[in-house]
Amino acid sequence: DSGVTQTPKHLITATGQRVTLRCSPRSGDLSVYWYQQSLDQGLQFLIQYYNGEERAKGNILERFSAQQFPDLHSELNLSSLELGDSALYFCASSVGGWYNSPLHFGNGTRLTVT
Amino acid sequence: GENVEQHPSTLSVQEGDSAVIKCTYSDSASNYFPWYKQELGKGPQLIIDIRSNVGEKKDQRIAVTLNKTAKHFSLHITETQPEDSAVYFCAAPTQGGSEKLVFGKGTKLTVNP
C-alpha cells in the first residue's frame, strides 16, 4: 500500500459530462502529481502541485483543471468529456519535488466515457 | 525534447533467466532515473532509482546501470520469478531541473514457470 488514496476507483459517465477525481497524498507529502494512462500513450504527466501551488504543467487539456487544497488533498476536474478521455488517471505524491524523493502512486481511477 | 525511449515493449523469459530492459533519454541535464513496476489493477511502484553521480546500483536481484555519455540506462533482473511478471516503466526528467518526469511506454515482462 503506497499510502496514496484515490476515489472513486471506477467512474462511468457520458460524453459532455463533468467529473471530479479525488486524491489524498501520503501523510507528510507536499507534492501531488496527476498522470493519465491510456493504452497507446503510456503515462502522460498532466500537472503537479506543491503545497497548494501549481508547480509544473504537462499535456493537460484546457477542459481539465486541478487544485490542491490546504489539507493537501487534490482534485482533478474533467469537463466536456469525450470518448478519448477514457483512461486510467493516477495521482502520485512525494515529499518534495520529484528529483528529491520518489513518487508514490495511488491505484488510480478508471474513467470510462460512453 | 521530452523523450524517453524504452525497449523492448514485451519480454518473455523462463523462470531463473535474466531480463534486461533499456531506456534512452534526450536531455543531457537529466540526473535522476527511477524504475517503476506496475502490476495489474495497481498503480506503478518504485522499485529502484539511480542518480547521475553513480554508474550502477543494486538491490538484491535488481540492478540499474547508467551510461551518461550514451544517455541510456538499463534495468537488470536476475533469477527471475513468476511474481516479477508485470509492466516496467523507466522515467527521466526533462529540461534539466524542470519538474516533469517523463515515462517510457513500458515493457510487459512475462516470466514463464
PDB file of all heavy atoms in Angstrom, chain B residues 79-101:
ATOM      1  N   GLU B  79      17.733 -14.019 -11.940  1.00  0.00           N
ATOM      2  CA  GLU B  79      16.977 -15.128 -11.319  1.00  0.00           C
ATOM      3  C   GLU B  79      15.483 -14.803 -11.277  1.00  0.00           C
ATOM      4  O   GLU B  79      14.848 -14.828 -10.216  1.00  0.00           O
ATOM      5  CB  GLU B  79      17.499 -15.374  -9.909  1.00  0.00           C
ATOM      6  CG  GLU B  79      18.977 -15.775  -9.884  1.00  0.00           C
ATOM      7  CD  GLU B  79      19.544 -15.817  -8.455  1.00  0.00           C
ATOM      8  OE1 GLU B  79      18.761 -16.083  -7.512  1.00  0.00           O
ATOM      9  OE2 GLU B  79      20.742 -15.561  -8.302  1.00  0.00           O
ATOM     10  N   THR B  80      14.935 -14.497 -12.437  1.00  0.00           N
ATOM     11  CA  THR B  80      13.542 -14.057 -12.496  1.00  0.00           C
ATOM     12  C   THR B  80      12.582 -15.106 -11.927  1.00  0.00           C
ATOM     13  O   THR B  80      12.811 -16.316 -12.016  1.00  0.00           O
ATOM     14  CB  THR B  80      13.127 -13.733 -13.932  1.00  0.00           C
ATOM     15  OG1 THR B  80      13.431 -14.854 -14.771  1.00  0.00           O
ATOM     16  CG2 THR B  80      13.842 -12.497 -14.438  1.00  0.00           C
ATOM     17  N   GLN B  81      11.513 -14.586 -11.348  1.00  0.00           N
ATOM     18  CA  GLN B  81      10.466 -15.417 -10.745  1.00  0.00           C
ATOM     19  C   GLN B  81       9.119 -15.020 -11.340  1.00  0.00           C
ATOM     20  O   GLN B  81       8.965 -13.891 -11.824  1.00  0.00           O
ATOM     21  CB  GLN B  81      10.467 -15.210  -9.228  1.00  0.00           C
ATOM     22  CG  GLN B  81      11.803 -15.559  -8.579  1.00  0.00           C
ATOM     23  CD  GLN B  81      11.940 -15.059  -7.152  1.00  0.00           C
ATOM     24  OE1 GLN B  81      11.004 -14.484  -6.584  1.00  0.00           O
ATOM     25  NE2 GLN B  81      13.103 -15.269  -6.568  1.00  0.00           N
ATOM     26  N   PRO B  82       8.137 -15.905 -11.313  1.00  0.00           N
ATOM     27  CA  PRO B  82       6.823 -15.569 -11.890  1.00  0.00           C
ATOM     28  C   PRO B  82       6.238 -14.276 -11.330  1.00  0.00           C
ATOM     29  O   PRO B  82       5.584 -13.529 -12.066  1.00  0.00           O
ATOM     30  CB  PRO B  82       5.979 -16.788 -11.521  1.00  0.00           C
ATOM     31  CG  PRO B  82       6.955 -17.916 -11.481  1.00  0.00           C
ATOM     32  CD  PRO B  82       8.207 -17.318 -10.895  1.00  0.00           C
ATOM     33  N   GLU B  83       6.512 -13.963 -10.083  1.00  0.00           N
ATOM     34  CA  GLU B  83       5.974 -12.731  -9.491  1.00  0.00           C
ATOM     35  C   GLU B  83       6.657 -11.472 -10.014  1.00  0.00           C
ATOM     36  O   GLU B  83       6.223 -10.353  -9.705  1.00  0.00           O
ATOM     37  CB  GLU B  83       6.044 -12.777  -7.961  1.00  0.00           C
ATOM     38  CG  GLU B  83       7.403 -13.128  -7.421  1.00  0.00           C
ATOM     39  CD  GLU B  83       7.530 -14.620  -7.093  1.00  0.00           C
ATOM     40  OE1 GLU B  83       6.993 -15.450  -7.862  1.00  0.00           O
ATOM     41  OE2 GLU B  83       8.187 -14.935  -6.079  1.00  0.00           O
ATOM     42  N   ASP B  84       7.700 -11.644 -10.813  1.00  0.00           N
ATOM     43  CA  ASP B  84       8.319 -10.488 -11.473  1.00  0.00           C
ATOM     44  C   ASP B  84       7.505 -10.063 -12.697  1.00  0.00           C
ATOM     45  O   ASP B  84       7.745  -8.994 -13.262  1.00  0.00           O
ATOM     46  CB  ASP B  84       9.753 -10.801 -11.917  1.00  0.00           C
ATOM     47  CG  ASP B  84      10.695 -11.036 -10.743  1.00  0.00           C
ATOM     48  OD1 ASP B  84      10.467 -10.426  -9.673  1.00  0.00           O
ATOM     49  OD2 ASP B  84      11.650 -11.818 -10.892  1.00  0.00           O
ATOM     50  N   SER B  85       6.571 -10.896 -13.118  1.00  0.00           N
ATOM     51  CA  SER B  85       5.731 -10.571 -14.275  1.00  0.00           C
ATOM     52  C   SER B  85       4.920  -9.314 -13.973  1.00  0.00           C
ATOM     53  O   SER B  85       4.187  -9.253 -12.982  1.00  0.00           O
ATOM     54  CB  SER B  85       4.787 -11.734 -14.599  1.00  0.00           C
ATOM     55  OG  SER B  85       5.524 -12.890 -14.981  1.00  0.00           O
ATOM     56  N   ALA B  86       5.086  -8.318 -14.834  1.00  0.00           N
ATOM     57  CA  ALA B  86       4.425  -7.021 -14.639  1.00  0.00           C
ATOM     58  C   ALA B  86       4.828  -6.123 -15.808  1.00  0.00           C
ATOM     59  O   ALA B  86       5.577  -6.532 -16.691  1.00  0.00           O
ATOM     60  CB  ALA B  86       4.854  -6.374 -13.317  1.00  0.00           C
ATOM     61  N   VAL B  87       4.350  -4.891 -15.776  1.00  0.00           N
ATOM     62  CA  VAL B  87       4.816  -3.882 -16.731  1.00  0.00           C
ATOM     63  C   VAL B  87       5.823  -2.990 -16.010  1.00  0.00           C
ATOM     64  O   VAL B  87       5.551  -2.518 -14.899  1.00  0.00           O
ATOM     65  CB  VAL B  87       3.651  -3.043 -17.282  1.00  0.00           C
ATOM     66  CG1 VAL B  87       4.182  -1.992 -18.263  1.00  0.00           C
ATOM     67  CG2 VAL B  87       2.636  -3.948 -17.978  1.00  0.00           C
ATOM     68  N   TYR B  88       6.955  -2.784 -16.620  1.00  0.00           N
ATOM     69  CA  TYR B  88       8.018  -1.977 -16.036  1.00  0.00           C
ATOM     70  C   TYR B  88       8.165  -0.673 -16.826  1.00  0.00           C
ATOM     71  O   TYR B  88       8.171  -0.685 -18.058  1.00  0.00           O
ATOM     72  CB  TYR B  88       9.340  -2.742 -16.036  1.00  0.00           C
ATOM     73  CG  TYR B  88       9.323  -3.908 -15.084  1.00  0.00           C
ATOM     74  CD1 TYR B  88       8.739  -5.122 -15.452  1.00  0.00           C
ATOM     75  CD2 TYR B  88       9.861  -3.798 -13.805  1.00  0.00           C
ATOM     76  CE1 TYR B  88       8.692  -6.192 -14.567  1.00  0.00           C
ATOM     77  CE2 TYR B  88       9.828  -4.861 -12.915  1.00  0.00           C
ATOM     78  CZ  TYR B  88       9.244  -6.045 -13.302  1.00  0.00           C
ATOM     79  OH  TYR B  88       9.196  -7.096 -12.413  1.00  0.00           O
ATOM     80  N   PHE B  89       8.281   0.407 -16.095  1.00  0.00           N
ATOM     81  CA  PHE B  89       8.441   1.718 -16.709  1.00  0.00           C
ATOM     82  C   PHE B  89       9.739   2.359 -16.241  1.00  0.00           C
ATOM     83  O   PHE B  89      10.046   2.358 -15.040  1.00  0.00           O
ATOM     84  CB  PHE B  89       7.300   2.660 -16.309  1.00  0.00           C
ATOM     85  CG  PHE B  89       5.961   2.283 -16.859  1.00  0.00           C
ATOM     86  CD1 PHE B  89       5.079   1.504 -16.117  1.00  0.00           C
ATOM     87  CD2 PHE B  89       5.559   2.723 -18.109  1.00  0.00           C
ATOM     88  CE1 PHE B  89       3.838   1.160 -16.616  1.00  0.00           C
ATOM     89  CE2 PHE B  89       4.310   2.387 -18.618  1.00  0.00           C
ATOM     90  CZ  PHE B  89       3.453   1.599 -17.863  1.00  0.00           C
ATOM     91  N   CYS B  90      10.457   2.952 -17.180  1.00  0.00           N
ATOM     92  CA  CYS B  90      11.566   3.810 -16.806  1.00  0.00           C
ATOM     93  C   CYS B  90      11.073   5.251 -16.876  1.00  0.00           C
ATOM     94  O   CYS B  90      10.023   5.530 -17.464  1.00  0.00           O
ATOM     95  CB  CYS B  90      12.760   3.618 -17.744  1.00  0.00           C
ATOM     96  SG  CYS B  90      12.424   4.057 -19.477  1.00  0.00           S
ATOM     97  N   ALA B  91      11.817   6.148 -16.274  1.00  0.00           N
ATOM     98  CA  ALA B  91      11.446   7.554 -16.317  1.00  0.00           C
ATOM     99  C   ALA B  91      12.690   8.411 -16.219  1.00  0.00           C
ATOM    100  O   ALA B  91      13.726   7.977 -15.681  1.00  0.00           O
ATOM    101  CB  ALA B  91      10.474   7.895 -15.187  1.00  0.00           C
ATOM    102  N   ALA B  92      12.576   9.611 -16.739  1.00  0.00           N
ATOM    103  CA  ALA B  92      13.679  10.558 -16.655  1.00  0.00           C
ATOM    104  C   ALA B  92      13.099  11.957 -16.659  1.00  0.00           C
ATOM    105  O   ALA B  92      12.053  12.196 -17.255  1.00  0.00           O
ATOM    106  CB  ALA B  92      14.638  10.364 -17.833  1.00  0.00           C
ATOM    107  N   PRO B  93      13.781  12.883 -16.014  1.00  0.00           N
ATOM    108  CA  PRO B  93      13.288  14.259 -16.018  1.00  0.00           C
ATOM    109  C   PRO B  93      13.622  14.949 -17.332  1.00  0.00           C
ATOM    110  O   PRO B  93      14.527  14.535 -18.055  1.00  0.00           O
ATOM    111  CB  PRO B  93      14.056  14.902 -14.869  1.00  0.00           C
ATOM    112  CG  PRO B  93      15.320  14.123 -14.778  1.00  0.00           C
ATOM    113  CD  PRO B  93      14.988  12.717 -15.203  1.00  0.00           C
ATOM    114  N   THR B  94      12.896  16.002 -17.622  1.00  0.00           N
ATOM    115  CA  THR B  94      13.149  16.732 -18.851  1.00  0.00           C
ATOM    116  C   THR B  94      13.580  18.144 -18.540  1.00  0.00           C
ATOM    117  O   THR B  94      13.305  18.666 -17.455  1.00  0.00           O
ATOM    118  CB  THR B  94      11.883  16.804 -19.705  1.00  0.00           C
ATOM    119  OG1 THR B  94      10.906  17.576 -19.005  1.00  0.00           O
ATOM    120  CG2 THR B  94      11.337  15.437 -19.983  1.00  0.00           C
ATOM    121  N   GLN B  95      14.265  18.736 -19.457  1.00  0.00           N
ATOM    122  CA  GLN B  95      14.639  20.143 -19.400  1.00  0.00           C
ATOM    123  C   GLN B  95      15.426  20.499 -18.156  1.00  0.00           C
ATOM    124  O   GLN B  95      15.329  21.617 -17.656  1.00  0.00           O
ATOM    125  CB  GLN B  95      13.390  21.046 -19.490  1.00  0.00           C
ATOM    126  CG  GLN B  95      12.560  20.788 -20.733  1.00  0.00           C
ATOM    127  CD  GLN B  95      13.344  20.975 -22.013  1.00  0.00           C
ATOM    128  OE1 GLN B  95      14.093  21.934 -22.161  1.00  0.00           O
ATOM    129  NE2 GLN B  95      13.218  20.044 -22.955  1.00  0.00           N
ATOM    130  N   GLY B  96      16.180  19.551 -17.622  1.00  0.00           N
ATOM    131  CA  GLY B  96      17.106  19.769 -16.519  1.00  0.00           C
ATOM    132  C   GLY B  96      16.615  20.694 -15.444  1.00  0.00           C
ATOM    133  O   GLY B  96      16.811  21.907 -15.514  1.00  0.00           O
ATOM    134  N   GLY B  97      16.034  20.139 -14.409  1.00  0.00           N
ATOM    135  CA  GLY B  97      15.554  20.952 -13.306  1.00  0.00           C
ATOM    136  C   GLY B  97      14.064  21.189 -13.370  1.00  0.00           C
ATOM    137  O   GLY B  97      13.448  21.470 -12.357  1.00  0.00           O
ATOM    138  N   SER B  98      13.489  21.067 -14.549  1.00  0.00           N
ATOM    139  CA  SER B  98      12.037  21.208 -14.644  1.00  0.00           C
ATOM    140  C   SER B  98      11.388  20.000 -14.012  1.00  0.00           C
ATOM    141  O   SER B  98      11.819  18.879 -14.222  1.00  0.00           O
ATOM    142  CB  SER B  98      11.626  21.301 -16.112  1.00  0.00           C
ATOM    143  OG  SER B  98      10.221  21.218 -16.231  1.00  0.00           O
ATOM    144  N   GLU B  99      10.359  20.210 -13.270  1.00  0.00           N
ATOM    145  CA  GLU B  99       9.787  19.094 -12.537  1.00  0.00           C
ATOM    146  C   GLU B  99       8.784  18.321 -13.376  1.00  0.00           C
ATOM    147  O   GLU B  99       7.607  18.244 -13.065  1.00  0.00           O
ATOM    148  CB  GLU B  99       9.178  19.597 -11.243  1.00  0.00           C
ATOM    149  CG  GLU B  99      10.250  20.144 -10.324  1.00  0.00           C
ATOM    150  CD  GLU B  99       9.712  20.601  -8.998  1.00  0.00           C
ATOM    151  OE1 GLU B  99       8.775  19.988  -8.491  1.00  0.00           O
ATOM    152  OE2 GLU B  99      10.222  21.592  -8.479  1.00  0.00           O
ATOM    153  N   LYS B 100       9.272  17.787 -14.468  1.00  0.00           N
ATOM    154  CA  LYS B 100       8.436  16.933 -15.285  1.00  0.00           C
ATOM    155  C   LYS B 100       9.160  15.605 -15.416  1.00  0.00           C
ATOM    156  O   LYS B 100      10.263  15.548 -15.957  1.00  0.00           O
ATOM    157  CB  LYS B 100       8.231  17.529 -16.683  1.00  0.00           C
ATOM    158  CG  LYS B 100       7.463  18.828 -16.700  1.00  0.00           C
ATOM    159  CD  LYS B 100       7.301  19.336 -18.114  1.00  0.00           C
ATOM    160  CE  LYS B 100       6.680  20.710 -18.105  1.00  0.00           C
ATOM    161  NZ  LYS B 100       6.530  21.249 -19.472  1.00  0.00           N
ATOM    162  N   LEU B 101       8.549  14.585 -14.911  1.00  0.00           N
ATOM    163  CA  LEU B 101       9.128  13.251 -15.019  1.00  0.00           C
ATOM    164  C   LEU B 101       8.426  12.560 -16.182  1.00  0.00           C
ATOM    165  O   LEU B 101       7.219  12.351 -16.145  1.00  0.00           O
ATOM    166  CB  LEU B 101       8.911  12.498 -13.714  1.00  0.00           C
ATOM    167  CG  LEU B 101       9.742  11.249 -13.495  1.00  0.00           C
ATOM    168  CD1 LEU B 101      11.221  11.572 -13.492  1.00  0.00           C
ATOM    169  CD2 LEU B 101       9.339  10.565 -12.200  1.00  0.00           C
TER     170      LEU B 101
END
